[in-house]
Amino acid sequence: MRTFCGIVTDGMLDYLATIYKISNNHASSGANKVTTTALAERMHVSTAAASSMLKRLEESRFVERSGTDGIRLTEQGQLAALQLIRRHRLLEVFLLDVMKFTWDQVDVEAHRLEHAISVEFEDRMDKLCGYPTHCPHGDPIPTKDGKLPVEQLVSLVDMQIGQQGVLQRVGITDARVLRYLSNLKLTPGRTVTLIELAPFNGPVTLELTLDARAELDDSAAQASQILGNELAEQLFVMPL
């Protein structure tokens, strides 16, 4: 098993990666701190179990905790988190491109493998897949030294009526939702236009346009789709 920044337990790594993801999601949504309760819910453990692990991480100087700022990763903790996230996302690309899994299957499979492969295996995956920059769901892949590019994406529900953009990231890993989006041809790379946004968290109407990465016949070069507001909030685009 690979050692990340001196950490030797898979559980500690999983917590650090989860803290990073929650923190990143909170930053985009305007929330200001990660709580023990939110972490426990994401890890599917009790609050007491999460508190016990946080104590270990704090003693090892991977996290800092305060009543004002909540749970925050130290520089060392963030590097460890990004290294695991890099491995997971590289595995997703490898499973999709080489092993021919579908994009709704790769998250679960990558989670099973991410603690088992060697550094050499990771490097060969990276090379074999052409040094990918994003996972199949559009999340950026951190560099080996723990850097993650900042992307100026907006949620579909934050677009202006008539505005066009390219779908870049799907912020959902639920396999059922991903299969549903595949059926709608709403995968990263698709060009969409916001047609209507109903008030009071009502449905969102989109127009999908054929682009170089889409696989639609001529008769389906342009189509309308209606999504629930909650799902549309998790679809992020690069405005055109």
Side-chain angles (χ1 to χ4, degrees):
M1 180 180 66
R2 180 179 179 181
T3 299
F4 292 74
C5 301
I7 300 177
V8 294
T9 70
D10 297 345
M12 294 171 78
L13 283 171
D14 288 337
Y15 268 84
L16 291 176
T18 301
I19 293 168
Y20 180 88
K21 292 173 184 177
I22 296 174
S23 178
N24 194 52
N25 288 341
H26 280 190
S28 64
S29 65
N32 58 3
K33 64 181 180 180
V34 181
T35 65
T36 303
T37 300
L39 180 60
E41 289 177 355
R42 183 70 71 89
M43 294 298 296
H44 305 291
V45 299
S46 67
T47 303
S51 295
S52 177
M53 176 59 80
L54 285 170
K55 182 179 180 181
R56 292 178 61 190
L57 292 172
E58 190 172 27
E59 290 172 348
S60 300
R61 298 183 181 179
F62 296 117
V63 303
E64 297 173 341
R65 292 189 288 175
S66 72
T68 302
D69 298 324
I71 305 162
R72 300 180 63 181
L73 295 175
T74 63
E75 183 177 350
Q76 185 179 9
Q78 179 167 301
L79 177 58
L82 286 171
Q83 286 179 334
L84 183 63
I85 290 170
R86 168 182 168 80
R87 171 172 290 190
H88 183 96
R89 293 177 181 173
L90 278 173
L91 273 164
E92 289 186 330
V93 176
F94 178 77
L95 289 163
L96 183 80
D97 291 352
V98 178
M99 302 299 291
K100 305 306 179 184
F101 283 84
T102 56
W103 80 323
D104 56 285
Q105 298 171 322
V106 295
D107 178 65
V108 172
E109 294 296 335
H111 187 70
R112 290 169 177 160
L113 294 168
E114 62 192 19
H115 294 298
I117 65 174
S118 66
V119 180
E120 291 74 18
F121 192 104
E122 180 182 317
D123 291 341
R124 291 195 183 193
M125 278 195 309
D126 193 20
K127 181 177 180 180
L128 185 62
C129 294
Y131 304 103
T133 59
H134 292 76
C135 79
H137 313 107
D139 290 305
I141 297 174
T143 62
K144 293 186 71 172
D145 57 354
K147 291 183 172 59
L148 195 65
V150 177
E151 299 180 319
Q152 301 301 320
L153 305 181
V154 299
S155 170
L156 281 178
V157 299
D158 293 325
M159 294 175 67
Q160 301 297 316
I161 300 300
Q163 187 176 17
Q164 191 176 64
V166 178
L167 180 60
Q168 297 279 49
R169 184 170 75 86
V170 177
I172 299 172
T173 58
D174 188 304
R176 297 166 301 174
V177 176
L178 294 177
R179 288 193 292 271
Y180 174 68
L181 292 174
S182 291
N183 290 335
L184 298 182
K185 308 299 182 184
L186 274 171
T187 54
R190 291 305 312 273
T191 300
V192 300
T193 304
L194 180 63
I195 302 301
E196 183 178 1
L197 180 61
F200 309 112
N201 294 322
V204 177
T205 304
L206 303 173
E207 184 178 81
L208 282 60
T209 305
L210 179 67
D211 57 44
R213 291 179 60 181
E215 296 181 356
L216 296 175
D217 57 35
D218 292 339
S219 64
Q222 207 166 56
S224 294
Q225 298 290 1
I226 299 176
L227 297 176
N229 190 280
E230 185 176 349
L231 176 56
E233 282 183 334
Q234 296 300 314
L235 303 183
F236 299 90
V237 302
M238 179 71 72
L240 296 177

